[in-house]
Amino acid sequence: MRLATWNVNSIRARVDRVTDWLARADVDVLAMQETKCADDQFPTMPFAALGYDVVHHGHNQWNGVAIASRVGLEDVQLGFDSQPAWEAAAEARALAATCAGVRVWSLYIPNGRTVGSPHYAYKLEWLAALRDNAQKWLADDPQAQIALVGDWNIAPTDEDVWDIEVFKHSTHVTALERSAFTAIVEAQYADVVRPFTPGPGVYTYWDYTQLRFPKRQGMRIDFILGSPALAQRVTHAEIVREERKGKSPSDHAPVLVDLN
């Protein structure tokens, strides 16, 4: 089984790129983030033409998460228990489905905007609630195959950004955000991609401005975290950097794992 995650940065603008890659990469399950559309606007037909069922959670032109699967979509869940909300706004940031026995969570963690802002506090609260739920899922079933995948908006180590000095006063790299990410890892959810993609300069996101991509000035902020039962099945992982190239790309690259 090949499982992938991709912040597509508007699925309506990039559906052809996404479905073309799905066919070429032979992906079984794709979790998407930042779809930027309501449920009735999601372009399901191109996915259906390739044999994928799709479930989507979105309200408007912001946020939005989806899962496309050709190996089944069962027990769909919108959000997790006690998931924080941003004031009164409806946000679509978490979606789960069971695909061939794997519980896949497509996650779009809040950005945080600026350190110390209400958005930053919301991000930390959101991550804490996710950790609590993730711990409970494994306590209920230690053998559960769970994949927490998506755009985490956190660079867990200094080598996950092209120049830590540029980011030292920004979100994504603060001690509190990194601690929140580490807390989920310590809840027995391993970063199953990094062992196959080690070293500095290995990124998943490059800003559109200032030629960040050709200059290799990026960040590693997209991750697949696997429960123990899932992690032991991983035989290969990669960041598909080539998909950041070409006409009208997303600013993120897909990340994938193969499971035996």
Side-chain angles (χ1 to χ4, degrees), residues 223-237:
F223 297 94
I224 297 176
L225 303 187
S227 64
L230 183 95
Q232 68 182 8
R233 294 181 59 194
V234 176
T235 60
H236 171 75

Side-chain angles (χ1 to χ4, degrees), residues 174-196:
T174 66
L176 289 177
E177 290 167 289
R178 288 177 169 180
S179 293
F181 184 90
T182 299
I184 296 174
V185 173
E186 291 177 346
Q188 300 187 70
Y189 290 86
D191 178 351
V192 296
V193 177
R194 195 181 295 269
F196 295 87

Side-chain angles (χ1 to χ4, degrees), residues 1 29 67-69 71-74 97-104:
M1 176 175 165
V29 181
I67 300 173
S69 172
V71 293
L73 281 171
E74 300 177 348
T98 300
C99 308
V102 176
R103 189 65 172 166
V104 178

Side-chain angles (χ1 to χ4, degrees), residues 19 57 84 104 120 147 200 211 233 240 252 256:
T19 53
H57 178 33
V104 178
Y120 181 76
L211 298 175
R233 294 181 59 194
V240 192
H252 295 248
L256 65 82

Side-chain angles (χ1 to χ4, degrees), residues 8-248:
V8 296
N9 191 14
S10 179
I11 187 59
R12 288 179 291 173
R14 281 173 254 286
V15 62
D16 291 341
R17 285 196 62 132
V18 172
T19 53
D20 175 70
W21 180 73
L22 276 178
R24 288 186 286 109
D26 198 26
V27 171
D28 295 300
V29 181
L30 174 64
M32 291 167 273
Q33 302 84 42
E34 211 170 354
T35 56
K36 294 185 176 180
C37 65
D39 290 343
D40 61 358
Q41 297 173 315
F42 190 95
T44 57
M45 291 306 295
F47 289 89
L50 293 175
Y52 291 87
D53 295 317
V54 178
V55 60
H56 178 257
H57 178 33
H59 302 295
N60 48 40
Q61 72 271 28
W62 308 110
N63 312 310
V65 283
I67 300 173
S69 172
R70 63 183 186 186
V71 293
L73 281 171
E74 300 177 348
D75 302 323
V76 173
Q77 180 178 341
L78 308 183
F80 47 81
D81 292 345
S82 301
Q83 179 180 322
W86 174 246
E87 298 180 345
E91 291 195 322
R93 293 188 175 274
L95 172 68
T98 300
C99 308
V102 176
R103 189 65 172 166
V104 178
W105 278 93
S106 182
L107 303 170
Y108 182 38
I109 282 71
N111 179 283
R113 298 195 183 180
T114 58
V115 178
S117 72
H119 289 274
Y120 181 76
Y122 165 56
K123 179 179 188 176
L124 296 175
E125 181 185 6
W126 203 97
L127 286 161
L130 175 61
R131 177 206 60 215
D132 291 345
N133 276 270
Q135 286 178 324
K136 182 179 184 299
W137 298 330
L138 279 183
D140 291 343
D141 182 5
Q143 297 304 312
Q145 298 184 53
I146 304 171
L148 307 178
V149 314
D151 178 357
W152 292 76
N153 275 315
I154 299 171
T157 73
D158 286 356
E159 71 175 23
D160 294 330
V161 297
W162 64 274
D163 185 348
I164 191 60
E165 290 301 309
V166 173
F167 294 93
K168 64 181 180 180
H169 299 302
S170 303
T171 60
H172 293 49
V173 301
T174 66
L176 289 177
E177 290 167 289
R178 288 177 169 180
S179 293
F181 184 90
T182 299
I184 296 174
V185 173
E186 291 177 346
Q188 300 187 70
Y189 290 86
D191 178 351
V192 296
V193 177
R194 195 181 295 269
F196 295 87
T197 59
V202 181
Y203 306 130
T204 65
Y205 164 84
W206 302 260
D207 192 273
Y208 288 126
T209 64
Q210 301 182 53
L211 298 175
R212 295 297 190 201
F213 182 70
K215 291 179 180 177
R216 297 182 176 271
Q217 296 175 346
M219 305 175 73
R220 187 197 289 245
I221 58 175
D222 301 83
F223 297 94
I224 297 176
L225 303 187
S227 64
L230 183 95
Q232 68 182 8
R233 294 181 59 194
V234 176
T235 60
H236 171 75
E238 64 182 279
I239 298 165
V240 192
R241 187 178 184 277
E242 293 297 305
E243 290 305 311
R244 178 58 175 79
K245 297 180 180 179
K247 182 180 179 181
S248 300

